[in-house]
Amino acid sequence: MAILSEKNITKGLSILQNYTDNKLLTHLNSCVHCGLCAESCMYYLTYKEARFVPAQKVDFIMSVYKRYFTFLGKHVPFLSKARDLNDESSSEMVDLFFGACTLCGRCTMHCSIGVDIAFLVRTGRVMLAEMGMIPASIQSTVDASIQTGNNMGITKEEFVDTIQWLEDDLKDELEDPEARIPLNEKGKKILYTLNPREPKFFPLSISAMAKIFHFAKESWTLSTEMYDVTNYGFFTGNIGEATTITKRLHEEVKNLEAKELILAECGHGSRAFRWEGPNYLNQSFEYTARTSVELIADYLKEGRIRVDKNRLKQRVTLHDPCNLVRNGGIINEQRYILHQIANDFVEMTPYGVDNFCCGGGGGQLAMSEYNERRMGIGGRKADQIKDTKANIVVTPCHNCVDQLIQINAHYKLNVQIKTLAEVVADALI
Ligand code: SF4
Ligand code: SF4
């Protein structure tokens, strides 16, 4: 029985029909089938299935485009490898674009002629969103954000309780009754954000950043109304919902009259707000928006915080989150920080813009139906970590932390996984 209505097929095709610039067609038409992108993708490297080759994902969209928007495709589809958009092909699209791509962008970087494969996969997701085919698992994360203000549905009371006990602990740890985790204070220089995983599962990473702010004598606040840095609408392809989430944080910066928004350690959240946000909102920000990685690096460079390099005795390596590094260009700041606090810092191979995704990007962690596949592709990251012989893996992204914790258990790596703020807070003097 057909589940995809004609109306939804038309809505999906409208994304291919109503493009607003030449980017879509240029990239769809450019692939020369050299095959160089195959070896850049963890899915193909792990499973060796031809349909996982990045270029095959491009071809998939192209075949649908041909079927409906080219003369040959319309009249002799079998001659031009044109494909109908129907129940079968749309299910394959879900599996390929949601279940077999983290949007890491490594294939794009390796493409011999610069085809933006990750952009085309995202276009496929936008089509599926229009067709009402976003997987329910990841959609529930977006629904929670829109309904409650955070993707984990944490109530305001729960959040305030957590922050209050963290503040009490901070006063005790620092033996300073003036130590604070301010909430909803207007006119502070910085509005700081959190990944909801922090208040829910990893509250000590909030304390770590609060400690850094305290040592830097920063003017800052959190908001109880909108603190969530994540934006899963960016992953689902529902641009309206991605815009709603972006707008809420944007409005809160203005409401609290902050001069700067500091995005917590979250690769996709930083990208969705800082780089995609002005497009969603159709305006530029009237305040500065930057990441806590850049802020901490500046604190160290300006001498606003000082650290003891000898406190961290173990070997440290760094995992580069795709959205922050390859797709966001924040490459050197985290390395500068780690060189200040660790005597034994080693890079993975490859690293930086060429690093492999942890396997949890693109919303994979929110889609439990792909858990087994996600752990499979995580094997490449596990091998990278093992090769460094490091005891601690630092990554400036809570999403990557989650995937790395699971990789650590699954592949028995026996390492510690930490955020940047956590290792810096431990080194403060
Ligand atoms: S973006 Fe990453 S996961 Fe997706 S096809 Fe390219 S290399 Fe593979
Ligand atoms: S590397 Fe680029 S041009 Fe070559 S097959 Fe892949 S997408 Fe096509």
Side-chain angles (χ1 to χ4, degrees), residues 148-150 153-167 181-184 191-200 203 206 220-228:
T148 71
N150 70 85
I154 300 166
T155 65
K156 188 170 169 180
E157 293 70 28
E158 243 182 294
F159 180 66
V160 171
D161 275 357
T162 303
I163 297 300
Q164 278 172 352
W165 71 253
L166 287 173
E167 185 179 86
I181 303 184
L183 287 176
N184 300 330
L191 172 62
Y192 183 57
T193 54
L194 302 171
N195 183 309
R197 299 184 50 69
E198 296 180 80
K200 194 82 177 171
I206 304 175
W220 72 291
T221 188
L222 281 172
S223 160
T224 56
E225 304 311 305
M226 185 56 191
Y227 54 82
D228 186 351

Side-chain angles (χ1 to χ4, degrees), residues 204-262:
L204 295 184
S205 69
I206 304 175
S207 311
M209 200 61 206
K211 200 169 157 184
I212 293 170
F213 281 136
H214 181 81
F215 275 66
K217 299 187 172 35
E218 189 56 89
S219 158
W220 72 291
T221 188
L222 281 172
S223 160
T224 56
E225 304 311 305
M226 185 56 191
Y227 54 82
D228 186 351
V229 71
T230 71
N231 188 340
Y232 279 79
F234 171 68
F235 289 144
T236 61
N238 186 321
I239 294 167
E241 291 180 338
T243 303
T244 299
I245 295 167
T246 305
K247 197 167 181 187
R248 205 177 274 172
L249 186 52
H250 172 66
E251 293 297 334
E252 191 60 359
V253 184
K254 292 196 291 180
N255 175 42
L256 289 175
E257 298 164 13
K259 312 229 166 358
E260 190 166 21
L261 177 69
I262 295 295

Side-chain angles (χ1 to χ4, degrees), residues 81-302:
K81 292 188 185 160
R83 186 182 333 234
D84 285 323
L85 191 56
N86 53 27
D87 287 346
E88 193 189 345
S89 61
S90 59
S91 296
E92 176 68 358
M93 278 178 79
V94 171
D95 192 66
L96 280 183
F97 298 152
F98 279 103
C101 181
T102 65
L103 302 172
C104 74
R106 196 165 186 270
C107 53
T108 299
M109 201 184 71
H110 284 226
C111 172
S112 55
I113 51 168
V115 174
D116 193 343
I117 304 162
F119 160 72
L120 294 172
V121 171
R122 280 178 67 198
T123 303
R125 288 192 181 193
V126 175
M127 286 176 70
L128 290 164
E130 284 294 317
M131 290 151 68
M133 294 193 71
I134 297 170
S137 46
I138 191 169
Q139 184 58 44
S140 67
T141 308
V142 178
D143 292 345
S145 285
I146 289 178
Q147 285 157 20
T148 71
N150 70 85
N151 73 31
M152 297 209 132
I154 300 166
T155 65
K156 188 170 169 180
E157 293 70 28
E158 243 182 294
F159 180 66
V160 171
D161 275 357
T162 303
I163 297 300
Q164 278 172 352
W165 71 253
L166 287 173
E167 185 179 86
D168 290 343
D169 279 2
L170 192 69
K171 288 181 202 290
D172 290 346
E173 185 194 339
L174 300 176
E175 297 177 355
D176 183 351
E178 302 297 314
R180 308 243 358 256
I181 303 184
L183 287 176
N184 300 330
E185 295 191 4
K186 277 200 174 185
K188 292 297 182 84
K189 183 174 166 229
I190 285 173
L191 172 62
Y192 183 57
T193 54
L194 302 171
N195 183 309
R197 299 184 50 69
E198 296 180 80
K200 194 82 177 171
F201 302 120
F202 300 102
L204 295 184
S205 69
I206 304 175
S207 311
M209 200 61 206
K211 200 169 157 184
I212 293 170
F213 281 136
H214 181 81
F215 275 66
K217 299 187 172 35
E218 189 56 89
S219 158
W220 72 291
T221 188
L222 281 172
S223 160
T224 56
E225 304 311 305
M226 185 56 191
Y227 54 82
D228 186 351
V229 71
T230 71
N231 188 340
Y232 279 79
F234 171 68
F235 289 144
T236 61
N238 186 321
I239 294 167
E241 291 180 338
T243 303
T244 299
I245 295 167
T246 305
K247 197 167 181 187
R248 205 177 274 172
L249 186 52
H250 172 66
E251 293 297 334
E252 191 60 359
V253 184
K254 292 196 291 180
N255 175 42
L256 289 175
E257 298 164 13
K259 312 229 166 358
E260 190 166 21
L261 177 69
I262 295 295
L263 301 154
E265 294 181 63
C266 176
H268 93 267
S270 299
R271 180 175 172 190
F273 192 89
R274 179 171 174 182
W275 293 291
E276 306 289 340
N279 298 327
Y280 291 142
L281 301 174
N282 203 19
Q283 66 169 100
S284 51
F285 303 134
E286 52 273 69
Y287 48 85
T288 313
R290 60 182 178 140
T291 64
S292 59
V293 180
E294 294 160 284
L295 180 75
I296 295 170
D298 279 353
Y299 283 163
L300 284 164
K301 286 176 191 165
E302 292 161 7

